[in-house]
Amino acid sequence: MMKQAVLITTYQNINHLFELADFFSDGNYYLYINIDKKSKVNQSDIDALKAKDNVALVSRKYVINWGGFHLTRAILYLVEEALKNNEIEYIHLLSGSDFPIKKSSEIKE
């Protein structure tokens, strides 16, 4: 079965991140997430996110400033990690503020 990676860069609104994880929880997606290193997201929320079956990676590797090069580095790091999984055939990029306008089944197709 074809798997897809969803790369997410975010810095706030952990509740929305959980909503995204739930949206992509049908077994076709792996989530690779970078949370801005300077964000105030607490470790218990990060641990709960990591415990979700479809979350492959939660990183706090980079301090990201809007328009800064570390955003590009974070995205490239997430791509590199996703490509380690041979099941991945497609990669999608979202920010932590995005929410898809199509159903996950439509995105899968």
Side-chain angles (χ1 to χ4, degrees):
M1 176 182 289
M2 175 184 59
K3 300 285 185 168
Q4 300 185 35
V6 179
L7 314 181
I8 303 170
T9 59
T10 191
Y11 67 96
Q12 65 180 3
N13 200 349
I14 191 72
N15 293 331
H16 185 67
L17 200 49
F18 279 98
E19 288 176 14
L20 282 170
D22 290 342
F23 178 84
F24 289 108
S25 66
D26 67 3
N28 295 303
Y29 302 94
Y30 292 110
L31 277 63
Y32 295 82
I33 302 165
N34 184 80
I35 299 172
D36 190 334
K37 199 172 188 177
K38 69 180 180 283
S39 75
K40 296 186 179 9
V41 174
N42 65 52
Q43 190 60 45
S44 63
D45 285 334
I46 291 171
D47 292 341
L49 195 56
K50 286 180 179 179
K52 293 191 162 287
D53 290 337
N54 61 332
V55 175
L57 172 75
V58 177
S59 166
R60 294 194 76 174
K61 191 172 176 93
Y62 296 99
V63 172
I64 297 176
N65 295 309
W66 190 88
F69 186 65
H70 281 148
L71 175 59
T72 302
R73 284 189 171 168
I75 292 167
L76 291 174
Y77 172 71
L78 295 176
V79 168
E80 180 180 17
E81 291 298 312
L83 290 176
K84 290 179 182 177
N85 183 337
N86 292 332
E87 293 179 291
I88 304 285
E89 293 189 39
Y90 292 94
I91 295 176
H92 309 276
L93 177 62
L94 300 175
S95 80
S97 301
D98 295 336
F99 203 85
I101 59 171
K102 301 277 186 179
K103 296 176 187 176
S104 66
S105 60
E106 291 177 274
I107 296 170
K108 185 186 102 178
E109 292 175 12

